[in-house]
Amino acid sequence: MSLTLRKRRVVIEVPTTWMGRMKAQAMRAGERIAPMADQAKVATANRIEEARYWAAPRLEDAAHRVEDQLAPKVSALLAQAAGKIDPTPPKSRRWPVIVLVSGLALGAVGYVFYRRNAQQWTDHMKDSAADASQWVSQKTDEAADKADDVASKVSDKANEASRKMS
C-alpha cells in the first residue's frame, strides 16, 4: 500500500464531564498559542537586552549625580538635624579663635618692632659711617700736617747742612 493512500485515523475522545471538556479546550488552545509564545519569548529577550544596553549608562550617570550632588546635601541636612537634636552643649570654638587672633596680633607687633629697630640700626650705621669718615679725614689731615712739619724740618736741616758745607 502506498503512503499517500494511507489515511490517518484520528481518535477523538469526547470528555463526559465539564472539567474534562475545559481541560481539552485548554490543551487545544495551548497547542495553537505555543508558536506565538515562542516568538514572543525571543522578541522579549531581545527587547530586554536592548533596554539594558540603553539603561546601563543612564543608571551610572544617575549614580554619579546622586554621589556628587545629592549625597553631600543629604549629608549636610542630616548633620544639621543631628546638631539640632543633640542634648550635649556644643563645643566652644572661641578659644582657638582667640589664640589665632592673639598670635596674629603678636606677629604684627613683632614686625613693627623689627622694622623700627631696623630703621634705627640703619640710621645708627649711617651716623657711624659719617663719624668714621670724619675721623679718617681728621687723621689724614693730622698725618699730612705732621708730614709737612717733618718735611719742613728735613728741608731746614738740609739747608743748614748745605750752608755749612759751602
Side-chain angles (χ1 to χ4, degrees):
M1 194 182 237
S2 74
L3 293 177
T4 55
L5 294 177
R6 201 156 81 180
K7 291 187 177 180
R8 208 197 276 183
R9 284 192 181 179
V10 177
V11 178
I12 299 176
E13 286 185 30
V14 178
T16 56
T17 63
W18 182 81
M19 186 66 99
R21 280 183 277 169
M22 290 296 122
K23 181 179 175 185
Q25 193 174 12
M27 293 291 284
R28 284 192 304 269
E31 289 172 1
R32 283 192 313 251
I33 294 177
M36 290 185 280
D38 288 340
Q39 284 181 338
K41 178 181 163 185
V42 170
T44 303
N46 289 339
R47 295 290 293 187
I48 287 174
E49 190 172 347
E50 290 172 5
R52 289 174 65 189
Y53 281 121
W54 177 85
R58 283 162 182 78
L59 287 173
E60 186 174 354
D61 187 40
H64 287 298
R65 283 192 185 147
V66 165
E67 183 179 344
D68 295 340
Q69 295 173 2
L70 186 64
K73 291 177 184 176
V74 170
S75 175
L77 180 71
L78 291 174
Q80 184 181 13
K84 285 182 179 179
I85 64 170
D86 190 12
T88 60
K91 292 182 179 179
S92 174
R93 293 188 180 191
R94 183 177 293 167
W95 286 108
V97 171
I98 290 173
V99 169
L100 178 66
V101 170
S102 300
L104 288 174
L106 284 173
V109 168
Y111 179 74
V112 168
F113 282 136
Y114 169 76
R115 293 297 295 169
R116 191 174 69 190
N117 190 19
Q119 185 65 35
Q120 288 175 353
W121 184 80
T122 305
D123 292 341
H124 177 70
M125 289 305 292
K126 285 180 185 176
D127 292 341
S128 296
D131 291 344
S133 175
Q134 287 176 355
W135 181 77
V136 168
S137 175
Q138 288 174 357
K139 290 294 181 181
T140 307
D141 290 342
E142 289 175 8
D145 289 341
K146 284 183 183 178
D148 286 340
D149 288 342
V150 170
S152 65
K153 285 182 185 177
V154 169
S155 173
D156 289 342
K157 285 188 182 184
N159 285 340
E160 282 180 34
S162 72
R163 275 188 216 152
K164 284 184 185 176
M165 289 177 117
S166 27

